[in-house]
Amino acid sequence: MNINELKNKLKPKLIEVDLEGTKLYIHRPTGRDLAKCTDMASTVILCTKDENGDPIFADEDIEGRINIGSIDYVYQNQLYEAISNLVIKNDIGDIEKK
């Protein structure tokens, strides 16, 4: 068994979304991050990435990231709803039992 291959297959998949003409990528929370997704802002911070899979947002002013508190609530809500829909949607596929 190739552990690295399995690890990559089990990572949350990045799904492209368009926000005002800019491509962002969202994903379901990882098991590690799920407990940290306690509100809209933290969920968007943890589950929104750029094309390289790097975080876009932070909860403070950090070089190279956008402070989530500085963006319009409407955009936060759009991203949060899109992430929530990924969580609700079950498209992981079947796990075969043997």
Side-chain angles (χ1 to χ4, degrees):
M1 173 188 312
N2 184 329
I3 294 295
N4 286 329
E5 183 179 324
L6 179 59
K7 182 180 171 182
N8 284 331
K9 286 182 180 182
L10 296 176
K11 287 190 324 188
K13 307 292 184 259
L14 292 177
I15 307 298
E16 183 179 301
V17 295
D18 181 270
L19 187 68
E20 293 292 313
T22 300
K23 292 179 183 175
L24 304 177
Y25 298 85
I26 60 172
H27 61 81
R28 292 182 189 96
T30 63
R32 175 182 3 178
D33 290 338
L34 186 59
K36 298 175 189 173
C37 292
T38 57
D39 57 22
M40 184 180 340
S42 62
T43 302
V44 172
I45 289 168
L46 292 167
C47 299
T48 308
K49 305 290 194 274
D50 66 12
E51 65 277 0
N52 299 316
D54 295 323
I56 296 172
F57 300 107
D59 60 358
E60 58 188 358
D61 293 328
I62 296 176
E63 183 71 30
R65 294 195 191 170
I66 300 168
N67 186 327
I68 194 74
S70 69
I71 71 169
D72 190 318
Y73 170 80
V74 171
Y75 299 124
Q76 274 191 48
N77 192 49
Q78 285 176 354
L79 289 168
Y80 179 74
E81 284 183 0
I83 294 162
S84 296
N85 287 336
L86 287 178
V87 172
I88 293 168
K89 185 180 172 186
N90 182 11
D91 66 349
I92 291 176
D94 296 329
I95 296 177
E96 190 175 323
K97 296 178 188 175
K98 295 230 175 191

